Amino acid sequence: MKIQATLIAILAFIVMPARAQSPLDTLTEADIADGKRLFRLHCARCHGIDGAGGEGSNLVRAKLKYAPDDESLIEVMGEGIPGTGMPAFWTLDEKQATRVAGYVRTLGRLEAEEMPGDPLRGAGIYRTTGGCPACHIIAGHGKGIGPELTFVGDRRGLDYLRRSLIDPADAQSQTMGYQDYLTVRLTTDEGSVDGLRINEDAFSIQVRDVGGVVHSFRKDDLIELKKVFAHSLMPEYGQVLNERDMDDVISYLMSLRSDQ
Ligand code: HEC
Ligand code: HEC
């Protein structure tokens, strides 16, 4: 009896797979096709029809920051990513989420989205003509009036980046997770100030204007406090940059990825 039990234990050890089993291992091609259908239904509006990104991350990458393994990929769908625009999908059951994950993994094996221009040249324009470091931080350089762009290529795809530069109010006002960048117009009897709200309580509000200067007001002193959702502090670059410069800056932003 004892020998038998030992033998079984040894056998079990030998046949045990070397790699921990992934829930995606059992998916068939039909399951993955269904995952693609579900992806187009639920995810494409943010991640792009082919997953190359938009308002949501570019998923055509071998390594995903929030989803290093298959379990965490399924978890990201169930729970979302708090503090970002990635919502939780309670409507997908486990089987469906597993299928979508299977499809997302196939994307990681595709080529990344092609850049429209030259990222190196774009880096120069970003710093000079663009004047972007006045409002954005990349790898510790610049001012943090707008969101940090260090790994913006992980988060956003080509179309969204282009729209962000040409019509920021339109592209970005719809981006969830950007309540932090609420633009407000404060009017007192001395005039008005536009700025990003950095703090607000029942009695006071603080904003930072485009020059980086922080203004603090008592609400009692305000004639009007207007939240300007449709307005972005970010300038429109369609007139400032020519087509080639624009393509190069976009390529530079696409290249800012954590896996490169
Ligand atoms: C309303 C827009 C929106 C929808 C819909 C959406 N996502 Fe996202 N998703 C985002 C955003 C924005 C991020 C980026 C979070 C960040 O890095 O700041 C993200 C991030 C992710 C990530 C993490 C990527 C990484 O770099 O680790 C995965 C995976 C993901 N989404 C999968 C999905 C899947 C699968 C669906 C459909 C079931 C979906 N998303 C639907 C907006 C969306
Ligand atoms: C005067 C300040 C200012 C300047 C200059 C500026 N931006 Fe912005 N940018 C912002 C703010 C603020 C936001 C946040 C959303 C909003 O309010 O529109 C933003 C958002 C963005 C986004 C969207 C990021 C995301 O994750 O959704 C990108 C991309 C971007 N800026 C790129 C650039 C580039 C490239 C330049 C230079 C060509 C530039 N910005 C110049 C203020 C600025």
Side-chain angles (χ1 to χ4, degrees):
M1 272 307 273
K2 207 168 168 206
I3 291 173
Q4 245 178 5
T6 316
L7 264 177
I8 289 171
I10 290 172
L11 264 177
F13 184 76
I14 292 170
V15 296
M16 210 171 64
R19 178 171 73 88
Q21 197 113 42
S22 154
L24 306 193
D25 286 349
T26 53
L27 291 179
T28 64
E29 252 175 62
D31 290 335
I32 301 221
D34 191 48
K36 179 175 181 175
R37 184 186 64 82
L38 291 165
F39 183 90
R40 297 201 159 176
L41 204 62
H42 298 290
C43 324
R45 73 185 159 101
C46 293
H47 289 284
I49 191 84
D50 294 315
E55 183 187 323
S57 327
N58 176 0
L59 299 176
V60 185
R61 289 186 289 140
K63 279 205 200 97
L64 297 176
K65 183 171 75 177
Y66 293 101
D69 54 48
D70 297 339
E71 274 87 4
S72 50
L73 179 54
I74 295 169
E75 210 173 286
V76 158
M77 273 179 259
E79 293 169 15
I81 306 174
T84 77
M86 174 65 197
F89 285 87
W90 293 307
T91 47
L92 291 177
D93 63 29
E94 203 179 318
K95 202 164 108 192
Q96 290 173 317
T98 307
R99 289 175 174 180
V100 175
Y103 171 65
V104 170
R105 283 298 181 227
T106 66
L107 294 174
R109 295 191 280 272
L110 301 174
E111 288 278 313
E113 203 175 24
E114 205 176 316
M115 292 183 188
D118 172 3
L120 273 182
R121 189 171 172 278
I125 294 159
Y126 177 92
R127 282 192 302 268
T128 56
T129 330
C132 321
C135 294
H136 292 284
I137 294 176
I138 291 180
H141 298 284
K143 279 203 271 172
I145 292 175
E148 176 167 353
L149 300 178
T150 304
F151 294 127
V152 69
D154 286 352
R155 247 190 352 253
R156 312 293 187 196
L158 174 63
D159 286 347
Y160 176 89
L161 290 172
R162 192 181 295 282
R163 278 193 292 125
S164 281
L165 293 181
I166 293 173
D167 192 357
D170 180 50
Q172 297 160 6
S173 65
Q174 291 153 26
T175 313
M176 285 188 278
Y178 272 158
Q179 295 87 336
D180 293 353
Y181 296 101
L182 183 65
T183 310
V184 291
R185 174 167 298 162
L186 303 177
T187 310
T188 65
D189 48 17
E190 285 166 19
S192 56
V193 175
D194 282 358
L196 288 177
R197 181 185 62 178
I198 49 181
N199 207 358
E200 178 175 0
D201 60 29
F203 308 105
S204 68
I205 182 164
Q206 285 82 43
V207 298
R208 192 191 285 125
D209 70 19
V210 184
V213 179
V214 175
H215 303 262
S216 183
F217 294 93
R218 281 163 42 98
K219 284 190 172 168
D220 280 349
D221 297 336
L222 294 175
I223 298 170
E224 194 182 23
L225 191 173
K226 209 163 133 198
K227 303 193 165 148
V228 212
F229 289 104
H231 169 74
S232 169
L233 270 192
M234 167 136 167
E236 292 173 8
Y237 277 94
Q239 307 296 322
V240 181
L241 301 176
N242 65 34
E243 210 171 310
R244 178 174 173 214
D245 290 355
M246 180 74 79
D247 282 348
D248 291 348
V249 170
I250 292 168
S251 304
Y252 172 55
L253 298 175
M254 290 172 78
S255 76
L256 298 174
R257 286 164 47 164
S258 55
D259 60 357
Q260 276 174 1

